[in-house]
């Protein structure tokens, strides 16, 4: 097949299984569909982004708008130096979180006006949107339980459960608002069941494999 660049994003609450599914999807696309794949994430997909990730998740408390601006700075750098160049080279890009996370966490979660976030997303992305977004739909307590098994939790993970419930409701609202782009996946299934569903949608929606 002639490969064209595709931008595929994985979203969900803490511990929803994004990292696990990205790893399996990358292996599937590389080994069975025979396409070149780049895996990346936000925040932290660039060298500058790694420093921003440290600030955002592991350093001192910050104002909500400061947090929003740091996520936007991370994204601007990521789009210009990683995402767009990879897509221009016809690579399939698998990205752990993107603009929907900012709407879910900073708008639905923190309560910052949606219009402000949408303007910042446009500035940061230059209009780059995903071709497909998998939303791993998992209840907050299961997700937090999974993600905190190994570590004590980062600054955002340690926010109260009500915050994470608003984030989860935000992802659900976004999936309803953008049904052509966002595919909800029941993330209570086994790792393999979820991966099978993802592979089905990759074939059906993007012609990748199948
Ligand atoms: N953020 C980010 C914002 O607030 N605004 C923004 O704009 C952006 C971009 C980033 C943080 O920043 C916030 C959101 C986040 O708080 P992150 O690195 O994305 O942080 O962190 P998490 O989402 O917390 O990542 P995790 O690694 O905790 O979760 P994953 O990647 O969704 O889950 P994964 O695959 O690591 O799995 C977690 C555990 O569950 C098991 C795995 O083995 C692992 O132990 N697991 C399953 N167990 C049972 N059944 C399944 N189906 C399983 N799938 C995985």
């Amino acid at each position: 097949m002639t490969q064209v660049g595709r931008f595929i994003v994985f979203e969900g609450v803490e511990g929803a299984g994004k990292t696990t599914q990205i790893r399996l999807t990358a292996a599937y696309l590389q080994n069975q569909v025979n396409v070149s794949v780049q895996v990346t994430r936000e925040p932290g997909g660039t060298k500058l982004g790694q420093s921003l990730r440290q600030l955002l998740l592991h350093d001192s408390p910050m104002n909500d708008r400061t947090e929003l601006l740091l996520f936007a700075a991370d994204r601007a750098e990521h789009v210009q130096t990683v995402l767009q160049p990879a897509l221009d080279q016809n690579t399939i890009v698998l990205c752990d979180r993107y603009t929907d996370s900012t709407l879910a966490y900073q708008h639905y979660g923190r309560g910052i006006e949606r219009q402000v976030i949408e303007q910042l997303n446009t500035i940061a992305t230059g209009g780059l949107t995903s071709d497909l977004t998998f939303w791993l739909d998992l209840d907050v307590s299961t997700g937090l339980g999974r993600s905190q098994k190994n570590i004590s939790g980062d600054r955002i993970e340690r926010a109260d459960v009500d915050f994470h419930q608003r984030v989860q409701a935000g992802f659900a609202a976004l999936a309803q608002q953008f049904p052509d782009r966002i595919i909800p996946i029941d993330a209570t299934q086994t790792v393999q069941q979820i991966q099978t569903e993802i592979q089905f949608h990759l074939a059906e929606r993007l012609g990748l494999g199948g």
Side-chain angles (χ1 to χ4, degrees):
M1 73 186 289
T2 309
Q3 179 168 340
V4 292
R6 295 291 191 185
F7 183 26
I8 302 164
V9 174
F10 292 72
E11 295 279 12
V13 294
E14 322 289 314
K18 296 174 282 81
T19 311
T20 304
Q21 292 302 329
I22 287 173
R23 182 172 42 78
L24 293 172
T25 305
Y28 165 73
L29 289 172
Q30 277 162 342
N31 302 331
Q32 296 189 44
V33 185
N34 204 21
V35 289
S36 69
V37 175
Q38 179 155 354
V39 170
T40 187
R41 69 173 175 179
E42 291 192 357
T46 63
K47 192 164 186 299
L48 174 67
Q50 285 168 23
S51 303
L52 293 171
R53 183 182 176 91
Q54 175 68 28
L55 281 172
L56 278 160
L57 302 185
H58 301 296
D59 287 344
S60 44
M62 64 183 73
N63 182 280
D64 290 351
R65 284 177 186 256
T66 309
E67 178 185 88
L68 171 65
L69 290 167
L70 290 178
F71 278 119
D74 171 76
R75 180 162 303 132
E77 187 72 9
H78 193 213
V79 169
Q80 288 192 43
T81 67
V82 174
L83 297 179
Q84 195 60 62
L87 293 167
D88 288 345
Q89 295 201 348
N90 295 336
T91 299
I92 309 293
V93 177
L94 306 182
C95 187
D96 194 334
R97 299 191 182 280
Y98 193 56
T99 48
D100 292 319
S101 273
T102 321
L103 282 166
Y105 282 80
Q106 278 66 50
H107 169 58
Y108 289 98
R110 301 280 193 226
I112 299 177
E113 305 91 300
R114 183 170 183 143
Q115 200 189 1
V116 169
I117 291 172
E118 286 176 340
Q119 282 174 344
L120 265 181
N121 274 343
T122 302
I123 293 167
T125 63
L128 178 68
T129 56
S130 73
D131 292 297
L132 208 55
T133 295
F134 291 109
W135 168 43
L136 299 182
D137 177 7
L138 187 67
D139 61 281
V140 166
S141 55
T142 306
L144 285 175
R146 282 185 193 170
S147 73
Q148 289 172 358
K149 237 182 232 167
N150 304 324
I151 47 163
S152 59
D154 62 42
R155 187 180 64 82
I156 295 178
E157 270 175 13
R158 289 194 303 269
D160 61 60
V161 173
D162 286 353
F163 168 79
H164 291 289
Q165 301 282 15
R166 292 195 296 277
V167 170
Q168 168 67 359
F171 278 124
L174 290 167
Q176 286 207 325
Q177 290 158 27
F178 302 104
D180 292 342
R181 180 174 61 78
I182 302 178
I183 298 183
I185 307 266
D186 174 1
T188 62
Q189 300 177 93
T190 66
V191 168
Q192 195 45 55
Q193 285 171 327
I194 295 169
Q195 179 57 203
T196 300
E197 214 177 305
I198 287 170
Q199 290 176 12
F200 169 81
H201 290 295
L202 287 174
E204 193 193 51
R205 300 287 290 266
L206 300 181
L208 290 168

